[in-house]
Amino acid sequence: EGSVLSKGYEDGHRVVSMSCSDKMAAWNVLGLQGSLLSLYIEPIYLASVIIGKMYNYDHLSRGIYARVKGISQQSGIPHPFKVNQPLIGEAKTSSYEEVRRSSSNSLNWWLDTNEEIVDTSTGRVSASVPSRLSKQAMFEQFLFLWDDCASKSVKTLLWQEHKIHSNVSEMIRLCRYGDIKKLATDYGKVKDALHQHYRQHLGPWISRGLELNDFKMSKD
């Protein structure tokens, strides 16, 4: 029942990360939208989860939400965050394609766009082209919506914390991705409560290095 999953070797090094059920448990507390979008919209939660093979309701419900239910009771997480409990169902089929090894390719698409195939081992579409799902691409889209979507309180916090005016051109030049993520204070509180719950009851949460958030849109 450990919360850390070893995913074999990559380039001669053992890869260790959180398990799929841990990540789904986090989604059921934090939402699917991430910290940046939580500055614009309320959390987006899974409504249902459909399982193909090896369906076991008790194990699944524990893995993706039941073991983190104590967070709301102990920490008083701020509204509208919650511990979401999606419906869990079983696919009604008896035929499955046997896959010996998963492909490293990932497909993404959305309305009125072409699909994009990403090499998940590099995060790129090709050797030199990053995915439109990269942190940098998402940050660019976030800033594009800033004037219309950011609340007055968030714009005020940007000035109080970083002495940066709520001007997109100035933000592109001065703001780092990690600085903007920290403006999502409620999201940060809930994330801290989740990680504390893991440390106390399930084991440490393995996070990526903070240096991955240390970039700006402008290279000046």
Side-chain angles (χ1 to χ4, degrees):
E1 293 187 0
S3 61
V4 178
L5 177 67
S6 171
K7 295 189 175 180
Y9 288 87
E10 183 175 305
D11 297 329
H13 300 284
R14 180 171 288 279
V15 178
V16 178
S17 69
M18 305 308 295
S19 69
C20 295
S21 60
D22 286 310
K23 293 173 183 178
M24 293 183 72
W27 291 343
N28 279 320
V29 178
L30 296 167
L32 298 167
Q33 76 294 325
S35 57
L36 288 186
L37 273 183
S38 69
L39 290 168
Y40 293 165
I41 61 176
E42 292 189 353
I44 300 173
Y45 290 110
L46 293 167
S48 61
V49 178
I50 306 299
I51 303 298
K53 301 175 70 173
M54 301 179 68
Y55 175 84
N56 182 302
Y57 178 83
D58 290 337
H59 290 175
L60 290 168
S61 60
R62 179 193 178 278
I64 66 175
Y65 70 80
R67 59 187 172 143
V68 295
K69 287 175 68 175
I71 295 174
S72 59
Q73 300 168 354
Q74 298 172 5
S75 308
I77 58 179
H79 178 80
F81 292 94
K82 63 181 181 179
V83 177
N84 180 55
Q85 300 182 36
L87 297 174
I88 301 175
E90 180 180 14
K92 298 300 182 181
T93 180
S94 58
S95 60
Y96 299 95
E97 180 182 355
E98 291 295 332
V99 179
R100 295 189 178 184
R101 183 174 181 179
S102 299
S103 169
S104 63
N105 291 331
S106 172
L107 179 69
N108 71 77
W109 71 94
W110 59 79
L111 186 65
D112 297 328
T113 67
N114 294 326
E115 59 274 6
E116 179 186 71
I117 300 176
V118 182
D119 183 347
T120 58
S121 65
T122 64
R124 294 178 177 271
V125 179
S126 65
S128 59
V129 180
S131 168
R132 61 190 176 191
L133 301 182
S134 67
K135 288 176 181 281
Q136 184 174 4
M138 292 293 186
F139 192 29
E140 182 178 9
Q141 293 296 320
F142 172 85
L143 292 176
F144 178 76
L145 297 171
W146 176 265
D147 286 338
D148 294 328
C149 297
S151 66
K152 184 177 179 180
S153 61
V154 170
K155 293 177 179 179
T156 300
L157 185 60
L158 176 65
W159 171 253
Q160 292 174 342
E161 294 292 326
H162 304 290
K163 297 298 183 285
I164 297 174
H165 293 287
S166 183
N167 176 285
V168 173
S169 59
E170 185 172 351
M171 292 175 68
I172 290 173
R173 186 171 60 87
L174 297 175
C175 283
R176 297 186 181 278
Y177 176 78
D179 295 336
I180 300 300
K181 284 171 67 74
K182 291 177 183 178
L183 297 179
T185 52
D186 281 351
Y187 183 95
K189 290 176 182 177
V190 178
K191 188 174 182 178
D192 288 343
L194 173 69
H195 291 180
Q196 181 180 4
H197 180 83
Y198 261 76
R199 286 194 298 270
Q200 292 177 346
H201 303 287
L202 301 168
W205 186 278
I206 299 175
S207 301
R208 297 174 181 174
L210 294 177
E211 66 275 6
L212 296 176
N213 296 332
D214 188 25
F215 68 89
K216 297 185 291 185
M217 290 303 301
S218 170
K219 299 185 184 302
D220 296 338

